[in-house]
C-alpha cells in the first residue's frame, strides 16, 4: 500500500503503532513509515524508523522479516550518501533471507547498483531475482524487476532490450492496482521514447506520469531529472535549468535524498552549459562531483567531471591539463559503456586543436568520429562534428563540407520528427557548430555562391515546412479558451485598477504551461529532403532589377552577399556586436519619437541609421542599383528598421528570414475569390480609425460594431467611428467621394477601373501585374469584425484562406515565451498557437499595431513570433511593426498603403509610397520607419 496509496499507508502504520503491536507488526509499521519518509520526506527520519524496524524484526526472531527491512535500510543509506553502510546492510540481508525474500533483496540491491552507476552488478542481481519472483507468482515484484532491468539496458544504450522489458512489465502492471508503479512504468516508457529519439512522445509520457504521481501526492524528483534531459535535447536548456534548480530547492526543503540532490545538480550543470551560462554550470558541476565522490558513485561522478571540464573550457580555461583530463574521462566513460564517451573524446580533441596539438587532436577526434555511423541523432551529430574538425585540421575543405552536410542531414531528420515549431526552431542550436564550420570553409575556398548556399542551409529552417497543426484535442481547445478568458480578465483588472492581480496571473501562467505542454507533444511528419536551395533559381527570379542582400556572420563580422544581375558578390561590413548595439539605440529613439515633443531626437535617429548602414551594408550600399531590394538579415538583427538606412529609405524594400523563404513566398498563389477581412480590436487610442474609414470607402460587408460575412447587406444607417462620417454600406454615395457608386467605376476617382465593391483585382487583391482588366470582375466586399464580433474563434474562421486581412489591434510580444505573443481581441489574446491552427493563413496580412514584427532569436538562426508563424502557413506577404508607434500616425499610413494596394501595387511598393506621403514631422517619419514589408506579395 505504501506505493499504491502512500498517505493512507502512512496513516494506517501510525495507527497500528499507537495500538502497541507485537514486534513483528511493529517492524512492518516502522518499515512503512521509513519507506514513506525515504521517498517522500526526510531521510533522517527514514533511517531512524528503519533501524527501529530492523530491531523489532530481530526481537520477533524473523530472519525473513529482518532481511526485508535490511534491504529497505540499504536503499535509504545509499540515498543518504552512506554507500558503504548501505552495501553492508545488503550483504546481511542477502545472508539472512532465503528464496522469495532473498529475490526481493537482490532486486533492491540491483536498484542500488543502478543508482551507483554499476550496471554490470545491477544486471547480475536482477538476473538472479527475476526467475525466483516469477516462480513465486509475485506479479508486482516481477514487474518491478523487469522495469529496473529495462532502465539499466537504457543506461547502456540497449533500447531494443529495454523496450521488450518495459512491454512485459506493462502487461503485468495491467493486472494489478499498484498505481504508483503504473505511473513509474509510464515514466519509464517516456525515458525509452527519449532514448530512441522520439522527443514529443517522451514529453507526452512524462507529463502523463506527472499527472498520475500528482493524484498520489508523490514527489517527482526523478521525473524532473528525466524531463530536464528531454528538454535539453529539445533545445529548451534554460527551462531545464529552472526546473532542476526549483526541484533542488524543494528537495533541500524537505531534507530529501542526497543522491537525488547530486543528480539534480548534475542535470542543472548540463542545462546551464547548454544555456550559455558557464559559471553557473561550473558551480553546479563542481558540487555534483564532490557529492558523487562521497557517495562512491563513480559512473555519475565521471559524467559530472565531463560537464565540469566543458564548463571550464567555456570560461576560457583551456590547457594541456584539460586535454589529459578529458581523455581520462573519455576512457572511463567508454569502459562503462556510456553513450557520452564520444562527447568527452570530442572535447579532448577540440581543446588539443586550440592548443595546436594536431597529433593529439587527431587521435581523440578519430575516436569521437566513430559515433557518426550509429546511435541516436545527437550522438551521430557529435561524430560528424568530430569528423569535420579532423578534415579542417587536415586542410580538406571538401571533407569539412561533406561532414557538415551529413551532420546537418541528421539534424534535419531529427527536427522533422518534432511537430511544434518551437521545438524545431530550438533544436537547430545543436547544428550551429557544423553550420559555422561549413561557412568558414566556404569563405576560404568556395566563393560567394557556396557561402550563400551554406548560409541558407541553416537559416530559418523552421520555415521550410508548415508546423504540425495542433490536434483537435478538447482539453487543448478548452485550455486555450480558459487562457483567453483569464488573460482578458487580468488585462481588464490592470487597466481599471492599474495593478496586477496575482491570482489571475498565476492562473494565466498555469494555463500557458498546460497549452505549451500539449503542443510540445505533437509529432512531426516523416523526414524528407524538402526543396534544396538553388542559387541559379534565385538569380533567375531576381532578374536584372531586383537585388537580394543576404547578411552572413563569420567570426563576428558581417559578410554581405549581394545577389542580382545573374551573380553573387561578397562584401565585408562591420562587427555584428556593434550593429546590435546601434540597433538597440535606434529602437530606443523610435520609442521616444512615437510621442509628440521628441522632435529633437529625429536627427540623432537618422544619424544612427547611417551608422547602421555602414556596419551592415558597408561598401555593398553603393552597388544596390535602383530597383527593389530584399534584405535577408540574421536572426540577431531582426529589430533593425531597414527603411531607416539611407540607401534603402526611398526604395521598394522587403525583408525575409531567408532567400528560400522569399522564393517560396514569390511562388505562392493567392486564393481564389479575393476575400478580404478587416479586424479591429479593443482599446486602441485611435479607435482603429483606419478600419472604419476603409469599411466606408469600400462599402464593406459589415458595419462598424458588427460583422456580416461577404455578401450580406448591412443596415445603411449604422454610424461609423467618431469623426469618420456615417457608414452607408453598398448604396450610392454622394458625400465625400465624387462619383463613387456601388456598381460602376468612375475615372474621376483617380484609379483606373476602381469600383465601390472592393479593394482591387478579384484574384489577388492588388497582385503585381493584376492591371485594370482584373478589376472588371466583381470583388467580394470585405468582412468587418469589430466590437463583440472580433472574438478569436470568429476571427480565425474569417482569416482562414482570406486573400487579405487587415488587423488593427494591440500587439504584445512575449520574449519569455514568443509563441504566446498576441493580438488583443474582444475575448482576449489571439496567440501564435491559434494561428498555427489555420488551414491557410491570409495570403496578405497587414498588422497595424505595435511590436508585431518583433521576434525571439532562438536556435542557430531561427525566429519565433507572429510573422514567422504566418509565413509557413500560406502567407506570402506581411506588413508589421518592430517598435511602439503612435496610433494616430498609423491611420494615414495605413489608408495610403491600402490606396496603393488598390492600384495594384505589392505590399513593399505600397508601403514605400505610403511612407513618402506622410507628413514630414518626427512622429510620422518614425511611424513609417517602424513598419516593414515581409515576404514577396
Amino acid at each position: 500500500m505504501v506505493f499504491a496509496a502512500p498517505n493512507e499507508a502512512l496513516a494506517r502504520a501510525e495507527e497500528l503503532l499507537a495500538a502497541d503491536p507485537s514486534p513483528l507488526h511493529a517492524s512492518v509499521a516502522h518499515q512503512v513509515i521509513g519507506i514513506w519518509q525515504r521517498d517522500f520526506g526526510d531521510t533522517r527520519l527514514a533511517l531512524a524508523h528503519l533501524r527501529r524496524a530492523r530491531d523489532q524484526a530481530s526481537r520477533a526472531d524473523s530472519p525473513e522479516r529482518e532481511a526485508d527491512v535490511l534491504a529497505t535500510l540499504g536503499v535509504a543509506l545509499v540515498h543518504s550518501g552512506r554507500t558503504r553502510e548501505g552495501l553492508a546492510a545488503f550483504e546481511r540481508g542477502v545472508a539472512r533471507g532465503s528464496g522469495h525474500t532473498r529475490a526481493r533483496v537482490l532486486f533492491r540491491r540491483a536498484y542500488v547498483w543502478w543508482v551507483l552507476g554499476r550496471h554490470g552488478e545491477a544486471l547480475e542481481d536482477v538476473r538472479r531475482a527475476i526467475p525466483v519472483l516469477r516462480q513465486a507468482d509475485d506479479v508486482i515484484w516481477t514487474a518491478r524487476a523487469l522495469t529496473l532491468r529495462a532502465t539499466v539496458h537504457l543506461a547502456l544504450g540497449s533500447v531494443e532490450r529495454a523496450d521488450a522489458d518495459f512491454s512485459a512489465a506493462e502487461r503485468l502492471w495491467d493486472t494489478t492496482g499498484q498505481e504508483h508503479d503504473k505511473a513509474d512504468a509510464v515514466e519509464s516508457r517516456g525515458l525509452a521514447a527519449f532514448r530512441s529519439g522520439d522527443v514529443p512522445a517522451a514529453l507526452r509520457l512524462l507529463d502523463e506520469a506527472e499527472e498520475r504521481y500528482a493524484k498520489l501526492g508523490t514527489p517527482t524528483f526523478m521525473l524532473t531529472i528525466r524531463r530536464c534531459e528531454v528538454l535539453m535535447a529539445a533545445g529548451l536548456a534554460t527551462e531545464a535549468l529552472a526546473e532542476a534548480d526549483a526541484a533542488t530547492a524543494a528537495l533541500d526543503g524537505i531534507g530529501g535524498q542526497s543522491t537525488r540532490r547530486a543528480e539534480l545538480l548534475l542535470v542543472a550543470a548540463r542545462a546551464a552549459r547548454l544555456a550559455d551560462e558557464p559559471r553557473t554550470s561550473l558551480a553546479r558541476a563542481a558540487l555534483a562531483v564532490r557529492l558523487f565522490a562521497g557517495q562512491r558513485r563513480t559512473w555519475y561522478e565521471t559524467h559530472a567531471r565531463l560537464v565540469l571540464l566543458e564548463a571550464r573550457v567555456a570560461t576560457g580555461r583551456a590547457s594541456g591539463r584539460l586535454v589529459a583530463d578529458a581523455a581520462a574521462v573519455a576512457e572511463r566513460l567508454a569502459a562503462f559503456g556510456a553513450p557520452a564517451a564520444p562527447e568527452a573524446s570530442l572535447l579532448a580533441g577540440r581543446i588539443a586543436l586550440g592548443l595546436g596539438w594536431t597529433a593529439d587532436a587527431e587521435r581523440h577526434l578519430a575516436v569521437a568520429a566513430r559515433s557518426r555511423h550509429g546511435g541516436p541523432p545527437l550522438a551521430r551529430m557529435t561524430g560528424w562534428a568530430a569528423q569535420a574538425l579532423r578534415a579542417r585540421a587536415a586542410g580538406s575543405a571538401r571533407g569539412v563540407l561533406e561532414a557538415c552536410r551529413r551532420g546537418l542531414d541528421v539534424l534535419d531528420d531529427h527536427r522533422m520528427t518534432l511537430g511544434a515549431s518551437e521545438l524545431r526552431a530550438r533544436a537547430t542550436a545543436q547544428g550551429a557548430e557544423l553550420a559555422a564550420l561549413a561557412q568558414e570553409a566556404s569563405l576560404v575556398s568556395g566563393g560567394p555562391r557556396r557561402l550563400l548556399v551554406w548560409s541558407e542551409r541553416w537559416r530559418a529552417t523552421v520555415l521550410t515546412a508548415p508546423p504540425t497543426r495542433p490536434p483537435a484535442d478538447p482539453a487543448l481547445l478548452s485550455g486555450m479558451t480558459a487562457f483567453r478568458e483569464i488573460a482578458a480578465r487580468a488585462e481588464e483588472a490592470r487597466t481599471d485598477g492599474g495593478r496586477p492581480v496575482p491570482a489571475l496571473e498565476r492562473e494565466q501562467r498555469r494555463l500557458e504551461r498546460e497549452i505549451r505542454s500539449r503542443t510540445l507533444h505533437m509529432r512531426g511528419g516523416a523526414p524528407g529532403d524538402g526543396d534544396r536551395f538553388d542559387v541559379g533559381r534565385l538569380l533567375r527570379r531576381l532578374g536584372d532589377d531586383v537585388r537580394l542582400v543576404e547578411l552572413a556572420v563569420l567570426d563576428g563580422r558581417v559578410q554581405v552577399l549581394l545577389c542580382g544581375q545573374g551573380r553573387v558578390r561578397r562584401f565585408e561590413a562591420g562587427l555584428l556586436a556593434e550593429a546590435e548595439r546601434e540597433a538597440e539605440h535606434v529602437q530606443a529613439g523610435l520609442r521616444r519619437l512615437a510621442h509628440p515633443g521628441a522632435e529633437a531626437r529625429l536627427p540623432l535617429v537618422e544619424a544612427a541609421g547611417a551608422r547602421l548602414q555602414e556596419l551592415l551594408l558597408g561598401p555593398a550600399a553603393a552597388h544596390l542599383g535602383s530597383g527593389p531590394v530584399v534584405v535577408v538579415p540574421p536572426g540577431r538583427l531582426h529589430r533593425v528598421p531597414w527603411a531607416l538606412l539611407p540607401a534603402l529609405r526611398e526604395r521598394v524594400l522587403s525583408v525575409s528570414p531567408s532567400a528560400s523563404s522569399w522564393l517560396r513566398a514569390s511562388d505562392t498563389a493567392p486564393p481564389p475569390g479575393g476575400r478580404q477581412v478587416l479586424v479591429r480590436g479593443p482599446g486602441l487610442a485611435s479607435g482603429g480609425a483606419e478600419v472604419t474609414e476603409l469599411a466606408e470607402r469600400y462599402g464593406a460587408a459589415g458595419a462598424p460594431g458588427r460583422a456580416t460575412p461577404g455578401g450580406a447587406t448591412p443596415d445603411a444607417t449604422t454610424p461609423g467611428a467618431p469623426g469618420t462620417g456615417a457608414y452607408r454600406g453598398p448604396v450610392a454615395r454622394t458625400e465625400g467621394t465624387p462619383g463613387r457608386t456601388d456598381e460602376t467605376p468612375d475615372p474621376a476617382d483617380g484609379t483606373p477601373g476602381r469600383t465601390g465593391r472592393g479593394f482591387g483585382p478579384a484574384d489577388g487583391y492588388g497582385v503585381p501585374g493584376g492591371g485594370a482588366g482584373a478589376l472588371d470582375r466583381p470583388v467580394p466586399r470585405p468582412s468587418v469584425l469589430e466590437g463583440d464580433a472580433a472574438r478569436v474563434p470568429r476571427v480565425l474562421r474569417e482569416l482562414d484562406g482570406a486573400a487579405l486581412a487587415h488587423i488593427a489591434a494591440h500587439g504584445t510580444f512575449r520574449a519569455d515565451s514568443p509563441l504566446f505573443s498576441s493580438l488583443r481581441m474582444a475575448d482576449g489574446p489571439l496567440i501564435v498557437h491559434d494561428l498555427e491552427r489555420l488551414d491557410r493563413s491570409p495570403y496578405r496580412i497587414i498588422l497595424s499595431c505595435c511590436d508585431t514584427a518583433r521576434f525571439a532569436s532562438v536556435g542557430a538562426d531561427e525566429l519565433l513570433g507572429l510573422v514567422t508563424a504566418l509565413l509557413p502557413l500560406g502567407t506570402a506577404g506581411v506588413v508589421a511593426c518592430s517598435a511602439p508607434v503612435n496610433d494616430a500616425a498609423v491611420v494615414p499610413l495605413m489608408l495610403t498603403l491600402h490606396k496603393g494596394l488598390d492600384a495594384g501595387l505589392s505590399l513593399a511598393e505600397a508601403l514605400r509610397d505610403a511612407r513618402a506621403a506622410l507628413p514630414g514631422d518626427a512622429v510620422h517619419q518614425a511611424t513609417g520607419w517602424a513598419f516593414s514589408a515581409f515576404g514577396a506579395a
Side-chain angles (χ1 to χ4, degrees):
M1 186 186 290
V2 74
F3 294 114
N7 294 328
E8 184 181 350
L10 176 66
R12 292 274 292 277
E14 290 171 341
E15 180 183 328
L16 179 62
L17 287 177
D20 192 22
S22 67
L24 186 66
H25 291 174
S27 173
V28 173
H30 280 296
Q31 186 180 9
V32 166
I33 297 173
I35 290 172
W36 192 96
Q37 291 289 355
R38 181 195 70 191
D39 291 352
F40 313 139
D42 191 327
T43 53
R44 291 167 297 180
L45 290 175
L47 290 173
H49 279 283
L50 291 173
R51 289 190 176 106
R52 291 167 74 180
R54 177 198 59 195
D55 294 344
Q56 293 287 354
S58 180
R59 285 181 56 198
D61 196 23
S62 172
E64 302 298 311
R65 172 105 283 280
E66 189 176 354
D68 195 74
V69 174
L70 283 166
T72 304
L73 177 61
V75 173
L77 286 165
V78 170
H79 273 312
S80 65
R82 299 157 78 167
T83 302
R84 184 177 296 176
E85 289 182 56
L87 294 176
F90 274 111
E91 287 296 326
R92 294 196 300 277
V94 171
R96 295 286 283 166
S98 62
H100 184 209
T101 300
R102 179 181 291 169
R104 289 186 172 191
V105 174
L106 287 171
F107 157 71
R108 283 175 281 187
R109 188 169 69 175
Y111 166 78
V112 161
W113 290 133
W114 171 73
V115 168
L116 296 173
R118 294 167 64 172
H119 301 117
E121 291 96 327
L123 286 176
E124 175 60 24
D125 271 353
V126 80
R127 182 189 64 79
R128 293 167 60 191
I130 286 175
V132 179
L133 295 170
R134 277 181 168 150
Q135 189 174 11
D137 200 24
D138 189 340
V139 173
I140 291 173
W141 286 77
T142 301
R144 287 174 179 166
L146 287 168
T147 300
L148 174 61
R149 187 168 69 180
T151 305
V152 177
H153 282 319
L154 280 182
L156 295 172
S158 302
V159 177
E160 291 183 2
R161 291 181 178 181
D163 280 340
D165 277 344
F166 279 136
S167 297
E170 195 165 4
R171 287 192 294 271
L172 293 176
W173 288 127
D174 286 341
T175 68
T176 75
Q178 293 295 115
E179 295 304 319
H180 177 278
D181 287 300
K182 288 181 182 179
D184 186 65
V186 174
E187 178 185 342
S188 298
R189 282 171 47 217
L191 180 61
F194 170 54
R195 293 284 187 258
S196 65
D198 192 342
V199 170
L203 289 170
R204 176 178 56 79
L205 290 164
L206 293 178
D207 286 349
E208 180 185 338
E210 186 173 28
E211 291 174 8
R212 289 173 178 253
Y213 287 132
K215 292 176 182 176
L216 299 171
T218 304
T220 55
F221 297 114
M222 191 68 227
L223 178 72
T224 297
I225 292 167
R226 289 171 172 170
R227 178 174 165 79
C228 287
E229 290 178 355
V230 180
L231 290 174
M232 285 186 283
L236 302 172
T238 301
E239 188 171 321
L241 175 59
E243 288 198 20
D245 282 348
T248 303
L251 187 72
D252 290 344
I254 64 172
Q257 299 169 354
S258 173
T259 50
R260 287 288 179 264
R261 184 170 191 268
E263 292 162 18
L264 284 165
L265 286 167
L266 172 56
V267 81
R270 289 184 56 224
R273 177 177 58 79
L274 294 173
D276 200 24
E277 296 185 32
R279 298 196 179 280
T280 301
S281 179
L282 198 65
R284 304 284 194 281
L287 183 51
V289 166
R290 289 198 296 272
L291 286 173
F292 286 131
Q295 295 163 3
R296 297 171 179 258
R297 302 172 71 187
T298 311
W299 189 88
Y300 283 97
E301 180 191 349
T302 308
H303 281 79
R305 287 192 183 280
L306 171 59
V307 181
L308 183 63
L309 292 171
E310 290 171 333
R312 284 175 176 163
V313 171
T315 55
R317 302 186 189 180
S319 66
R321 173 64 182 274
L322 286 182
V323 176
D325 288 346
V329 166
E331 288 179 10
R332 293 177 78 177
L333 290 172
F336 291 137
E343 295 178 33
S345 293
L346 176 60
L347 179 64
R350 192 180 278 125
I351 302 169
L353 275 180
L355 296 172
W357 297 2
T358 53
D360 293 283
E362 167 60 22
R363 185 173 69 257
H364 298 305
L365 292 173
V367 172
R370 294 172 193 160
S371 68
R372 68 190 187 275
H373 296 305
L378 299 185
R380 282 181 281 150
M381 286 185 62
T382 295
W384 285 116
Q387 186 68 10
L389 290 173
R390 291 178 73 197
R392 187 179 70 168
S396 171
R398 178 178 295 181
V400 171
L401 294 175
E402 174 64 12
C404 292
R405 181 185 67 79
R406 298 284 295 275
L408 290 174
D409 284 347
V410 171
L411 178 60
D412 283 344
D413 287 346
H414 169 62
R415 282 192 309 104
M416 291 308 293
T417 67
L418 307 173
S421 55
E422 179 179 5
L423 291 189
R424 287 186 184 182
R426 295 186 185 278
T428 60
Q430 293 148 349
E433 181 183 21
L434 288 169
L437 286 169
Q439 287 190 95
E440 176 189 288
S442 299
L443 183 64
V444 170
S445 65
R449 282 199 179 212
R450 180 174 288 176
L451 180 56
L452 176 63
V453 169
W454 278 101
S455 177
E456 282 292 302
R457 179 67 178 79
W458 71 308
R459 182 190 295 267
T461 57
V462 75
L463 304 182
T464 58
T468 302
R469 291 189 68 211
D473 176 357
L476 175 60
L477 297 177
S478 172
M480 293 179 78
T481 301
F483 163 76
R484 265 191 293 279
E485 181 180 343
I486 292 295
R489 286 170 56 194
E491 177 65 24
E492 184 180 354
R494 283 190 292 267
T495 303
D496 291 346
R499 288 172 28 175
V501 180
L504 290 176
E505 293 186 344
R506 282 195 300 271
E507 179 63 7
Q508 181 176 336
R509 288 192 295 270
R510 185 193 69 78
L511 289 166
E512 284 182 11
R513 288 193 299 270
E514 182 178 309
I515 293 166
R516 186 164 177 262
S517 174
R518 288 186 176 275
T519 56
L520 295 183
H521 297 168
M522 296 185 301
R523 281 190 57 78
D529 291 337
D531 293 329
R532 292 295 186 191
F533 175 68
D534 183 345
V535 176
R537 178 168 166 256
L538 172 69
L539 293 174
R540 288 191 297 274
R541 182 60 56 85
L542 292 172
D544 291 334
D545 295 329
V546 183
R547 301 289 187 275
L548 184 141
V549 178
E550 180 149 328
L551 305 183
V553 179
L554 277 78
D555 293 328
R557 185 169 289 278
V558 177
Q559 305 290 331
V560 183
L561 299 172
L562 180 60
C563 310
Q565 292 184 311
R567 58 178 175 159
V568 181
R569 290 178 286 172
R570 182 179 68 85
F571 301 88
E572 193 169 274
L575 295 174
L576 176 65
E578 292 182 15
E580 287 184 285
R581 286 194 293 271
E582 200 66 59
E584 288 303 315
H585 294 154
V586 166
Q587 284 293 325
L590 291 179
R591 284 194 294 272
R592 292 286 299 277
L593 290 173
H595 304 283
E599 291 81 0
R601 299 195 64 85
L602 183 61
L604 299 177
V605 171
E606 291 184 301
R611 289 193 296 272
L612 267 178
Q613 176 170 301
E614 184 62 29
L615 290 167
L616 295 178
L617 299 181
H623 299 271
L624 295 177
S626 59
V629 173
V630 181
V631 177
V632 179
R636 290 167 62 182
L637 294 175
H638 66 276
R639 296 202 66 194
V640 171
W642 296 96
L644 177 62
L645 275 58
L648 304 177
R649 200 170 294 174
E650 308 299 327
R651 290 180 182 274
V652 174
L653 171 67
S654 59
V655 182
S656 182
S658 68
S660 300
S661 177
W662 181 81
L663 278 171
R664 282 192 301 277
S666 65
D667 287 341
T668 301
R675 185 166 57 83
Q676 301 136 20
V677 183
L678 306 177
V679 180
R680 178 164 63 175
L684 293 168
S686 68
E690 81 269 17
V691 172
T692 304
E693 292 202 28
L694 289 169
E696 287 193 15
R697 182 190 297 176
Y698 302 122
R706 79 162 75 184
T708 44
T713 303
D715 178 5
T717 60
T718 304
T724 61
Y727 175 77
R728 298 299 183 203
V731 296
R733 297 194 57 209
T734 56
E735 71 277 26
T737 309
R740 281 283 301 277
T741 72
D742 174 48
E743 299 295 340
T744 57
D746 184 351
D749 189 52
T751 304
R754 279 279 297 278
T755 78
R757 281 181 170 250
F759 290 98
D763 289 327
Y765 185 73
V767 178
L775 301 180
D776 294 337
R777 299 189 300 274
V779 178
R781 291 164 300 207
S783 295
V784 181
L785 303 179
E786 299 183 299
D788 196 53
R791 302 174 70 85
V792 171
R794 177 67 183 278
V795 170
L796 290 174
R797 285 198 302 273
E798 293 291 334
L799 292 181
D800 212 330
L804 179 132
H806 180 112
I807 302 179
H810 277 301
T812 301
F813 174 71
R814 286 280 301 276
D816 63 320
S817 191
L819 297 191
F820 282 92
S821 298
S822 62
L823 300 170
R824 186 179 168 195
M825 298 291 112
D827 57 340
L830 186 159
I831 59 177
V832 174
H833 290 298
D834 288 311
L835 295 173
E836 290 184 340
R837 292 162 53 206
L838 295 173
D839 284 328
R840 176 171 179 174
S841 57
Y843 175 71
R844 283 174 168 168
I845 187 164
I846 298 170
L847 302 170
S848 63
C849 31
C850 303
D851 286 343
T852 48
R854 288 188 62 188
F855 312 99
S857 180
V858 301
D861 198 20
E862 306 293 330
L863 295 170
L864 293 177
L866 286 166
V867 172
T868 53
L870 294 163
L871 293 177
L873 294 170
T875 293
V878 182
V879 167
C881 179
S882 65
V885 287
N886 185 284
D887 276 0
V890 167
V891 174
L893 180 74
M894 291 296 111
L895 292 175
T896 311
L897 171 68
H898 278 275
K899 183 177 180 180
L901 293 176
D902 198 25
L905 301 181
S906 69
L907 284 172
E909 291 167 334
L911 182 59
R912 187 270 313 267
D913 291 354
R915 285 196 198 100
L918 286 172
D921 62 275
V923 171
H924 285 88
Q925 290 298 305
T927 301
W929 291 330
F931 280 89
S932 297
F934 295 85

